[in-house]
Amino acid sequence: MRLAINKVIKINDPVPGENLPAIFYTIVDVNANKVVLCLQDKVRPKRPFVHNVGEPIPFHAYIEGEEPIRTSKQWKYIEVLDNDFHDTKAVRWFNRLKLAQEKQNYDYKEQLARYNKSRESTLHKLSIVEAFEHQSSWGLTCFGELKEGLKANNTREQRKDNQYLFFNKVIGKKEITAFVKHFEGLTYSSFRRFLYKYYAYGQSFNALLPEYHVASKRNKSLRPKTFEEARMRFPTGRGG
């Protein structure tokens, strides 16, 4: 069963007749009759969730300018792919910077600076995620009081990783907020964003690479085309 970890579930034609793109989930963890799935969506990062094998997979399908469609899909309509993650643009961008700084006959100072900055930032994020996952580093005490009915001693004996508590929503916003206070300059929202990306894109260094290469393209795609669309999508405004 461990061979299934980090495979990708692809749901083709999620809503018949709506002409929507395929939806991708990463298999984060596998147990006897359960799997942990995480939606591969960098615009709207989602928390991993525990799912019973054989039951329909619930998901939200998004249509531009409309409310999300809440629906599900049976397992027999789902294709399981190998470690071929849906969005690898950030990885290709990072590898090009890495290759550029190795060419001695080329003025690569700018590329080298960007490569080092990206690498250091990603390694820092990875160290924080690993500290969050393993109780050997932090222990349950850093999250304050445990929720009712869960004893610290029993939890440490049964499960080593905070990952299990996080997937089952024992560790929530209150506990994560207490955790991020150990890191200067880290906020709850930013930690949650790259933690969800880490699970959705294969639990690796590459999963946490920054998205600088699509920053302007992403902002352009998010910009409403008309006043009516802007009022529908952002009734209270987008802020800054």
Side-chain angles (χ1 to χ4, degrees), residues 36-104:
V36 175
L37 302 177
C38 192
L39 178 65
Q40 292 193 8
D41 189 341
K42 290 182 179 177
V43 177
R44 292 175 283 262
K46 297 294 189 300
R47 183 192 189 110
F49 62 95
V50 179
H51 180 72
N52 294 323
V53 175
E55 294 183 358
I57 293 183
F59 61 87
H60 293 183
Y62 293 90
I63 300 178
E64 193 71 22
E66 297 183 12
E67 290 293 322
I69 300 172
R70 295 172 176 82
T71 184
S72 61
K73 201 76 170 179
Q74 294 287 349
W75 278 91
K76 63 181 180 179
Y77 297 110
I78 292 170
E79 179 183 358
V80 179
L81 308 177
D82 203 347
N83 293 357
D84 181 19
F85 298 112
H86 177 47
D87 187 349
T88 59
K89 292 181 180 178
V91 177
R92 293 197 296 269
W93 168 79
F94 180 80
N95 288 338
R96 280 199 296 269
L97 292 182
K98 183 178 180 181
L99 289 173
Q101 59 91 17
E102 293 174 352
K103 295 180 180 179
Q104 299 300 319

Side-chain angles (χ1 to χ4, degrees), residues 125-156:
K125 292 177 182 177
L126 188 62
S127 67
I128 296 174
V129 170
E130 290 175 346
F132 173 80
E133 287 193 307
H134 299 287
Q135 293 180 16
S136 58
S137 301
W138 288 98
L140 288 169
T141 55
C142 78
F143 297 109
E145 296 182 2
L146 288 171
K147 296 187 177 181
E148 186 177 354
L150 188 65
K151 296 181 180 179
N153 291 335
N154 292 338
T155 303
R156 288 194 181 96

Side-chain angles (χ1 to χ4, degrees), residues 7-237:
K7 291 294 194 303
V8 177
I9 286 180
K10 179 182 180 182
I11 302 178
N12 285 312
D13 189 23
V15 183
E18 295 291 348
N19 194 27
L20 294 173
I23 295 176
F24 296 82
Y25 287 96
T26 297
I27 302 177
V28 179
D29 200 0
V30 178
N31 208 329
N33 296 313
K34 296 182 178 181
V35 295
V36 175
L37 302 177
C38 192
L39 178 65
Q40 292 193 8
D41 189 341
K42 290 182 179 177
V43 177
R44 292 175 283 262
K46 297 294 189 300
R47 183 192 189 110
F49 62 95
V50 179
H51 180 72
N52 294 323
V53 175
E55 294 183 358
I57 293 183
F59 61 87
H60 293 183
Y62 293 90
I63 300 178
E64 193 71 22
E66 297 183 12
E67 290 293 322
I69 300 172
R70 295 172 176 82
T71 184
S72 61
K73 201 76 170 179
Q74 294 287 349
W75 278 91
K76 63 181 180 179
Y77 297 110
I78 292 170
E79 179 183 358
V80 179
L81 308 177
D82 203 347
N83 293 357
D84 181 19
F85 298 112
H86 177 47
D87 187 349
T88 59
K89 292 181 180 178
V91 177
R92 293 197 296 269
W93 168 79
F94 180 80
N95 288 338
R96 280 199 296 269
L97 292 182
K98 183 178 180 181
L99 289 173
Q101 59 91 17
E102 293 174 352
K103 295 180 180 179
Q104 299 300 319
N105 296 326
Y106 178 71
D107 184 10
Y108 61 88
K109 291 181 180 180
E110 180 183 351
Q111 286 84 351
L112 177 61
R114 293 172 64 194
Y115 167 75
N116 287 332
K117 180 181 178 181
S118 176
R119 183 173 181 274
E120 290 172 6
S121 172
T122 306
L123 286 173
H124 178 62
K125 292 177 182 177
L126 188 62
S127 67
I128 296 174
V129 170
E130 290 175 346
F132 173 80
E133 287 193 307
H134 299 287
Q135 293 180 16
S136 58
S137 301
W138 288 98
L140 288 169
T141 55
C142 78
F143 297 109
E145 296 182 2
L146 288 171
K147 296 187 177 181
E148 186 177 354
L150 188 65
K151 296 181 180 179
N153 291 335
N154 292 338
T155 303
R156 288 194 181 96
E157 292 172 1
Q158 294 168 8
R159 296 280 180 174
K160 175 184 176 182
D161 298 332
N162 291 333
Q163 199 179 75
Y164 171 80
L165 304 178
F166 175 68
F167 293 154
N168 287 276
K169 299 185 178 180
V170 175
I171 290 179
K173 182 175 181 178
K174 176 184 176 182
E175 290 78 16
I176 294 177
T177 302
F179 171 77
V180 299
K181 290 180 180 178
H182 292 278
F183 299 91
E184 184 178 356
L186 182 64
T187 64
Y188 166 77
S189 58
S190 60
F191 172 71
R192 185 189 64 179
R193 190 181 308 114
F194 67 70
L195 179 66
Y196 291 2
K197 269 184 59 177
Y198 173 76
Y199 290 130
Y201 289 87
Q203 297 166 280
S204 65
F205 174 87
N206 287 344
L208 293 173
L209 287 173
E211 295 294 298
Y212 301 146
H213 65 288
V214 292
S216 59
K217 184 187 298 184
R218 177 175 178 272
N219 288 337
K220 185 176 180 180
S221 66
L222 289 175
R223 195 177 303 139
K225 305 296 186 301
T226 63
F227 171 75
E228 289 77 13
E229 181 183 346
R231 186 172 57 181
M232 180 183 298
R233 290 175 57 193
F234 310 107
T236 60

